[in-house]
Amino acid sequence: MDIKYLKNLLEQVQSGSVDIDAAVHELKNLPFENLGYARIDNHRSIRTGVSEVIYCEGKNIEQIQGIVRRISQRHHNILATRCGKQVFEAIRDADADAVYYDLARIAVIKPQPVEKVGNIVVVSAGTSDIPVAEEAAVTAEVLGNQVKRIYDVGVAGIHRLLDVRDELFEANVAVVVAGMEGALASVVGGLVSCPVIGVPTSIGYGASFGGLAALLSMLNSCASGVSVVNIDNGFGAGYQASLINKLCK
Amino acid sequence: MDIKYLKNLLEQVQSGSVDIDAAVHELKNLPFENLGYARIDNHRSIRTGVSEVIYCEGKNIEQIQGIVRRISQRHHNILATRCGKQVFEAIRDADADAVYYDLARIAVIKPQPVEKVGNIVVVSAGTSDIPVAEEAAVTAEVLGNQVKRIYDVGVAGIHRLLDVRDELFEANVAVVVAGMEGALASVVGGLVSCPVIGVPTSIGYGASFGGLAALLSMLNSCASGVSVVNIDNGFGAGYQASLINKLCK
Amino acid sequence: MDIKYLKNLLEQVQSGSVDIDAAVHELKNLPFENLGYARIDNHRSIRTGVSEVIYCEGKNIEQIQGIVRRISQRHHNILATRCGKQVFEAIRDADADAVYYDLARIAVIKPQPVEKVGNIVVVSAGTSDIPVAEEAAVTAEVLGNQVKRIYDVGVAGIHRLLDVRDELFEANVAVVVAGMEGALASVVGGLVSCPVIGVPTSIGYGASFGGLAALLSMLNSCASGVSVVNIDNGFGAGYQASLINKLCK
Amino acid sequence: MDIKYLKNLLEQVQSGSVDIDAAVHELKNLPFENLGYARIDNHRSIRTGVSEVIYCEGKNIEQIQGIVRRISQRHHNILATRCGKQVFEAIRDADADAVYYDLARIAVIKPQPVEKVGNIVVVSAGTSDIPVAEEAAVTAEVLGNQVKRIYDVGVAGIHRLLDVRDELFEANVAVVVAGMEGALASVVGGLVSCPVIGVPTSIGYGASFGGLAALLSMLNSCASGVSVVNIDNGFGAGYQASLINKLCK
Amino acid sequence: MDIKYLKNLLEQVQSGSVDIDAAVHELKNLPFENLGYARIDNHRSIRTGVSEVIYCEGKNIEQIQGIVRRISQRHHNILATRCGKQVFEAIRDADADAVYYDLARIAVIKPQPVEKVGNIVVVSAGTSDIPVAEEAAVTAEVLGNQVKRIYDVGVAGIHRLLDVRDELFEANVAVVVAGMEGALASVVGGLVSCPVIGVPTSIGYGASFGGLAALLSMLNSCASGVSVVNIDNGFGAGYQASLINKLCK
Amino acid sequence: MDIKYLKNLLEQVQSGSVDIDAAVHELKNLPFENLGYARIDNHRSIRTGVSEVIYCEGKNIEQIQGIVRRISQRHHNILATRCGKQVFEAIRDADADAVYYDLARIAVIKPQPVEKVGNIVVVSAGTSDIPVAEEAAVTAEVLGNQVKRIYDVGVAGIHRLLDVRDELFEANVAVVVAGMEGALASVVGGLVSCPVIGVPTSIGYGASFGGLAALLSMLNSCASGVSVVNIDNGFGAGYQASLINKLCK
Amino acid sequence: MDIKYLKNLLEQVQSGSVDIDAAVHELKNLPFENLGYARIDNHRSIRTGVSEVIYCEGKNIEQIQGIVRRISQRHHNILATRCGKQVFEAIRDADADAVYYDLARIAVIKPQPVEKVGNIVVVSAGTSDIPVAEEAAVTAEVLGNQVKRIYDVGVAGIHRLLDVRDELFEANVAVVVAGMEGALASVVGGLVSCPVIGVPTSIGYGASFGGLAALLSMLNSCASGVSVVNIDNGFGAGYQASLINKLCK
Amino acid sequence: MDIKYLKNLLEQVQSGSVDIDAAVHELKNLPFENLGYARIDNHRSIRTGVSEVIYCEGKNIEQIQGIVRRISQRHHNILATRCGKQVFEAIRDADADAVYYDLARIAVIKPQPVEKVGNIVVVSAGTSDIPVAEEAAVTAEVLGNQVKRIYDVGVAGIHRLLDVRDELFEANVAVVVAGMEGALASVVGGLVSCPVIGVPTSIGYGASFGGLAALLSMLNSCASGVSVVNIDNGFGAGYQASLINKLCK
């Protein structure tokens, strides 16, 4: 139920093709719909342009299916993140059209083609960081953005990064995904003039403390245009990159 | 030495009004200039559109004055951050035109009027967070952005925030500055459709652990479009907000 | 063995219907009873009005059954918390009447109807926080309190919370259960005039550090009437809410 | 501007003794009043029964005086906490009647006698914890509660605590203030049947880590009715104790 | 190879019942014996009165069996700690006489009766702390100490502890084992005049952070005669208690 | 008021040289005496053999003087720890005989010669650790123990430690004081057969984190007879060493 | 593709035995080769003398096999670290000659005899530290260094270490591997005149916090020539030891 | 008293120019000399080639002067680190020839020219890191090494670093000094083939947590030849760099 949907409904009321009672019924759940265990924020797509996203961790199968069934009545291209294969099977029971991105662990419910605009680059330091990078990239693509992937360009071989300088320079926004010491965010931040969103990953061991090292590293970046999201939060980075990329028209 | 400066120089070479030797001399320091204790990154303004910023903490007076004298030969509106009053006196000895923003602890060297474009809002949770908020706001203004300040709208009285909803809705990007539990970033993030940059502050005591509580809070925001900079890093937020705001033309 | 039980016994002694030796035998274990691996605090229900609660984690099946058998000789409505399904099976072997609340992971031994008084609201930020919220709600109900559940009203869609304002205003005490950044405790604390007990949950990932982010957030709440219990400690919150709610007569 | 004030105003409008324009003027600032650097939440006393409290740390003298002048136009018994002697001098310039509690570091602006009801005990483990205990006690007294102080009854000499058992048993709510290992909260929590609010203090050294040891200790209390506020947050404990104590009528 | 063994050998040399070459062969491995993956410290029992203890965690079956075979050639009552059931089976293959204490997870290799002297009390706060308490108690018993166990006397019901005051007063040294907030160490430390060794356990959840809360609590004990060993280190506490207890003759 | 004092009083009552009223007056304050801001634990010296110790930090001059005056009425050799020079001046105003140990920052009130028994060694790793070592040594001496000081034998030059092996072997108990990495506790623990009390100090910088490194190091000691007190807690180590040393008669 | 390979290629071009096109084809991938999920840094062996090392954790089987196939086209003695048995099976499918070191969890792809030079000692504190020590030792051997292993010489029996003093004195560089309190690094650092590389391990429990205790201990070493690598990073230590050892010619 | 000194003494004994008693007197203090508060490790220069270094922090003036007087009787070029200006004045009172390096806060006692060999580069990320870099550089120079300083080449302007590539390539060992996110260590580590010693500095604020961010970053370096010393430990890095550099002959 986004703004287009809302306008359309009101025009039908105006023209008389929908009567008042039916419209009231429809609008009753506009702000949110209460399932008991979840209140679906239908207003979100009006407010932010994106329908509610389902974060699957910590929810049981019944709850996820219930939420999927309700949201899919009014929305398209609904993202379900942190979605394991087993959970996806349950989602497909509720929506047969749902598609799955396994590296990214994302399901898209009621998928619909979207025009992809602008230019987001998603950069990863290492091969092991790719699942988080894919979460960012798929999120951004589903939300209607052009995404360029540049993987395994960590600072231990800086020439690999310098080699893709031109692609970095053309981006509206760069998502930089790195574990271990997370130095890549600073180096990219020093090279480009676009905003950089750092995503520390939990890749590493010992004193990486589950991604803390990369997180602190990115927060203390000596390069100026870098902000940071939670450890392994590819979704959040892809989402914000989309908000930024779409400002450019 | 930004791109305009560079083009101008090359045109003068083309037209013959500057001879090759003089141009070479000028271009020799293009990438950076080595003062021994500092290498001034002259190329930065070409690369990123903003000249090098002087972070005053940990540098002594002689070093700061030396850097100011060199950068000011080629740039305008140079920011000096974390600049105490005493340090500003020293800067003014090196550049008599420098101006000082005392709440923000920022000096601007060789100030020059800039056109201010777009719409950044800077929101603070409490009165005590204002110095950090001002660092963000002044940074963004000096870099050529329109800034709307909305201060003391912390979540303990949520109606104060709801009251300024319209101003929030109009922003291209929101900087949210909050100490203690930092909840304001999530609440603003849930209201708006623009990107939100959270700035945790060190305001608080006890289990705030110098801003750690607000930092973790913002990193774990349940609202989707929020990224975060270092504790008290108003400059970094203002800088990135400027990069984002300028994408909208 | 609560105060009613004790009075009754002494009245029987007074009237002669119980002789001294029998009463002594009964009272011998009044302060506590030593099973070797556990000392059952029979005096607790006299002191605090609530019989000893069995925290199941870290105890083996034999120990739990032994404790259940002894406590159930003198008490009703005994709570066993952190009780998995397998442990409940063992409890039911010791008390066939025991009932199980699976979302809350609570067993109630020798269940007995209680009058439910007052008004406690239990609020959860997200669907994933429900198990902890249920631990609080079931605890409070078993202890004889009216409980109103309000689930999935996290701050990312603040209108969902504002929508239930009236229910919040009517509470004697509010339990607020939230993971991730735990901002809901502050927002509720700013809205209501009753005491708020915050329960941070371990829901989240990365820089949530097992609930630390929500815990610090709630401890630093900018709203004034908020106190906090341990991460995931729904029982503790429900218990204290009961103590507070029962002060209102 | 509490509910009494509001009713009074409307009755005057009803009776004609105040005209509409004057009432509108008065009500215009009802939700809050914007001083630029602060938005005074006038609605708070309607919502919560207590006017906004001024937390002095991080505010400069001009800001504090401005806030004092505005709040004192509509409220009495306004608390200013974390108020050093120098700050109090400035407050007295703005309100000559203000009184100062130096151990508690609290100023009360426009003081007015209040009836003190109920029964709160404030217990401290050591002599060094008294300043925080006093912050709790004075807060509760100014808010209209009877307060009984029991100081220096730490667990290293448990008979000192057992000696005051009767006073503990009579309380509606107990505030327990302790630094170092903070064990007193658990011991008191095990003795009483009323809610206990633990206040860890920063008293200690080394592995107390600024109060962290006492904080974690209280959060992990093995006694059931204990909740916790921030390190050194005597105000917060006194405030919540007041909310709880006033439920008993 | 303790001092008795050594004297005996030298007496045999003196008397001629053992020749020089045989004695040299025997003494060659006196300081230690090198197995490649382990250097068995045979000198330890001379130096400290206790033969080397086998910490099983992190060693594989072959290594443990090899060490058992060598140590058991020269020593009795060898402790193997952190020894799971499966590991014990392997130990029994190397020494058929080995006995197993399953709660304590300790195996004793080449067991031999020892005289038990003095008086050590091992106190546990809760039933869940018993495995660690047993590790301390069994260690002390195998090393030749009288041990009195007092379990489940946590501070939530302080009368249970006061009830065993006399047993505490008679001890030469007290080992106090507690998880959660670990307050029992301070309370016992305030009651007795003997040295107290605190053993924090990892029992707890959330902000117990794997025993950190209890550890910090005990380190900050306000009672004076308390020292602390590592989290869950029942062995270390039992060992030191033995050293202390044996000073009393 | 220790056991000798108590016996003496009762004998005087028995013999009639003190009448009942005077004895009652005297015994009234036996458990403790309430000064309002402090409850002096007079019973402690009966219970533990040592009168209450005054920890000066966080107490103001008036409180300290008040406590000194009361305790000194009934006790001798009262320790005041963490006592700066200025505080000592105030103590001397209350007791002209008080003596000061400036390296140890300890005052002894109403000093009296004591017989020194047994053998405690206090070992320090570096010269900078001496103040903490002295706090331990002076505490133990005032409590009536022979103390041998061995300073600056850190593991960076292990032969310095091996050189004093014999003195270590003769001790009943060893206090090992070390900052930085605190390795000395393990090395001493591996050499001796007596109990070792480790005192981590805050000497160090950077990743010493105020003594945390030394604390963790000592808690994880691979040598078996080591227990640990709080960072910089020389007093606690000296006190426990005294308890242990006095067990040997 | 190391320097030898490069020279050889150019000599063939010079002599005409390889034509320009073939050489260009070969050199095209000199800096790196892009597999999509990985960019193989072929230039590394020219730059650093060692070909890219495959860190197996976080990569899937297909990715590892792909990388193995490409790297093995141009390099020998390629290290694959953190390589479990199952992963090794997959590697052997891609290179039948690959050999496996199971204690070290290292595979060597396209193994080739190398001359071993110099003298590195790898010292371990305990038997449980051997896997990490072996990772260091095998790494150094594959890179062409003589390695002397000295295992289980922890400081709890210091004579075991002193016994191998001569072997330590002869080393060019010492790698010291220790968990728990990690004191061995300081003790070795105080004995030798060669550089010491400390490797803290995660061996331990409780307050070892996954190796943090040993890490902090080594970083704070009071001995001067010690530097440190990440927890359990045997590879990193072996690698740097090789760089240092090879400086000696 | 280094090896040269020792040989010389023994030759004089051999030739009869020094008699036995005098030699004994001299050699008596060979292992160390006990000043009470310090044991000077005279043997260190024999063992490691460098005389004992005086770490000034935490020592008082008298102690420092005493140590200076003794060490300077037998050694030259003695380093005193963490030496403030006031402390240096005291040192000059004990040795009039002492020289002071104020940026590095190092005094050199009984300075003597040394031949400088090899090639160490000391690289700093920012101007604020220079004091730590100088501590490393001066230490290495006093110990007889050639040092090349390369300052302010942080990764925010990577071309500044690439510009000095050749100087980096020529080094035997590189010391990399960086605060904030410490990314420079990884980038340099990826470029060079010599060992890299990372020195994290405490430069930064907020989530730098006193250098923790840079420390963790360097420990998790994705480049292979990097080891790390304590935060701000320029001395330790310079010392180890010297050990490594001198291996190259």
Side-chain angles (χ1 to χ4, degrees), chain A residues 58-233:
Chain A
K59 298 195 178 71
N60 62 36
I61 294 292
E62 290 69 32
Q63 291 170 338
I64 291 172
Q65 288 183 324
I67 295 169
V68 165
R69 287 200 177 91
R70 290 301 172 96
I71 302 190
S72 63
Q73 285 174 10
R74 289 195 177 78
H75 303 279
H76 284 90
N77 283 325
I78 304 149
L79 289 160
T81 63
R82 304 274 162 143
C83 173
K85 271 193 181 150
Q86 213 176 343
V87 171
F88 176 63
E89 298 305 325
I91 286 176
R92 202 154 50 185
D93 288 351
D95 172 31
D97 295 335
V99 296
Y100 189 56
Y101 297 82
D102 64 346
L103 264 179
R105 298 182 65 222
I106 286 179
V108 179
I109 298 150
K110 285 190 56 190
Q112 221 179 33
V114 285
E115 190 200 1
K116 288 179 188 148
V117 302
N119 184 354
I120 295 173
V121 295
V122 176
V123 184
S124 94
T127 300
S128 310
D129 300 314
I130 289 179
V132 177
E134 278 297 305
E135 194 185 70
V138 170
T139 295
E141 286 174 336
V142 172
L143 298 177
N145 302 274
Q146 298 260 25
V147 175
K148 170 83 191 163
R149 287 155 173 88
I150 301 174
Y151 290 167
D152 197 28
V153 291
V155 301
I158 198 84
H159 59 294
R160 300 180 298 189
L161 181 69
L162 300 177
D163 183 68
V164 293
R165 233 172 344 186
D166 288 342
E167 285 163 327
L168 291 172
F169 288 169
E170 285 160 11
N172 288 325
V173 52
V175 173
V176 178
V177 181
M180 295 184 172
E181 92 282 57
L184 187 61
S186 294
V187 176
V188 171
L191 282 175
V192 301
S193 64
C194 72
V196 172
I197 304 171
V199 191
T201 75
S202 54
I203 293 301
Y205 60 89
S208 120
F209 295 123
L212 178 64
L215 172 64
L216 293 183
S217 181
M218 290 183 181
L219 285 167
N220 285 283
S221 174
C222 58
S224 297
V226 180
S227 65
V228 186
V229 296
N230 195 2
I231 298 162
D232 290 337
N233 189 5

Side-chain angles (χ1 to χ4, degrees), chain B:
Chain B
M1 198 192 294
D2 57 12
I3 283 184
K4 216 171 70 189
Y5 183 100
L6 199 60
K7 275 191 180 160
N8 197 261
L9 179 68
L10 295 176
E11 284 163 7
Q12 288 175 304
V13 171
Q14 199 175 41
S15 69
S17 66
V18 163
D19 68 18
I20 296 290
D21 280 2
V24 164
H25 181 79
E26 189 69 3
L27 289 172
K28 208 176 54 194
N29 286 319
L30 177 66
F32 62 86
E33 202 172 343
N34 191 354
L35 309 187
Y37 52 84
R39 283 167 210 245
I40 297 168
D41 184 356
N42 290 314
H43 183 257
R44 186 165 298 176
S45 58
I46 297 176
R47 212 162 68 238
T48 69
V50 181
S51 70
E52 193 155 18
V53 173
I54 306 167
Y55 174 73
C56 296
E57 254 166 37
K59 299 195 176 73
N60 63 36
I61 294 293
E62 290 68 33
Q63 291 169 338
I64 292 173
Q65 288 183 325
I67 295 169
V68 166
R69 285 199 180 94
R70 290 301 172 96
I71 302 191
S72 63
Q73 285 173 10
R74 289 194 177 77
H75 302 279
H76 285 90
N77 284 325
I78 303 147
L79 289 160
T81 63
R82 304 277 162 140
C83 172
K85 273 195 180 147
Q86 212 176 342
V87 170
F88 176 63
E89 297 306 324
I91 286 176
R92 203 156 48 186
D93 288 352
D95 172 29
D97 295 333
V99 297
Y100 190 56
Y101 297 82
D102 64 345
L103 264 180
R105 298 182 66 221
I106 285 179
V108 180
I109 298 151
K110 285 190 57 191
Q112 219 179 36
V114 284
E115 190 199 2
K116 286 176 189 150
V117 302
N119 184 356
I120 295 172
V121 295
V122 176
V123 185
S124 94
T127 302
S128 310
D129 300 314
I130 290 179
V132 177
E134 278 297 306
E135 194 184 70
V138 169
T139 295
E141 286 175 335
V142 172
L143 297 178
N145 302 274
Q146 296 261 23
V147 176
K148 171 83 192 161
R149 287 156 173 86
I150 302 174
Y151 289 168
D152 198 27
V153 292
V155 301
I158 198 86
H159 59 294
R160 299 179 301 188
L161 180 69
L162 300 177
D163 183 68
V164 294
R165 232 171 346 186
D166 288 342
E167 286 164 326
L168 291 172
F169 288 169
E170 285 160 10
N172 287 325
V173 53
V175 173
V176 178
V177 181
M180 295 183 172
E181 92 283 55
L184 187 61
S186 293
V187 177
V188 170
L191 282 175
V192 301
S193 64
C194 71
V196 172
I197 304 170
V199 190
T201 75
S202 53
I203 293 300
Y205 60 91
S208 119
F209 295 124
L212 177 65
L215 172 64
L216 292 183
S217 182
M218 290 183 181
L219 284 168
N220 285 281
S221 175
C222 60
S224 299
V226 180
S227 65
V228 186
V229 295
N230 195 3
I231 298 163
D232 291 336
N233 188 6
F235 162 72
Y239 187 97
Q240 200 189 44
S242 169
L243 295 184
I244 295 171
N245 183 46
K246 294 206 168 163
L247 288 171
C248 319
K249 306 170 248 261

Side-chain angles (χ1 to χ4, degrees), chain G residues 48 57 85 232:
Chain G
T48 69
E57 252 166 39
K85 272 193 180 148
D232 291 336

Side-chain angles (χ1 to χ4, degrees), chain D residues 93-143:
Chain D
D93 288 350
D95 171 29
D97 295 334
V99 297
Y100 189 57
Y101 298 82
D102 64 344
L103 264 180
R105 297 182 66 220
I106 285 179
V108 180
I109 298 152
K110 286 191 57 190
Q112 222 179 33
V114 285
E115 190 199 1
K116 287 178 186 145
V117 302
N119 184 354
I120 295 171
V121 295
V122 176
V123 185
S124 94
T127 301
S128 310
D129 300 314
I130 289 180
V132 177
E134 279 296 305
E135 195 185 69
V138 170
T139 295
E141 286 176 335
V142 172
L143 297 177

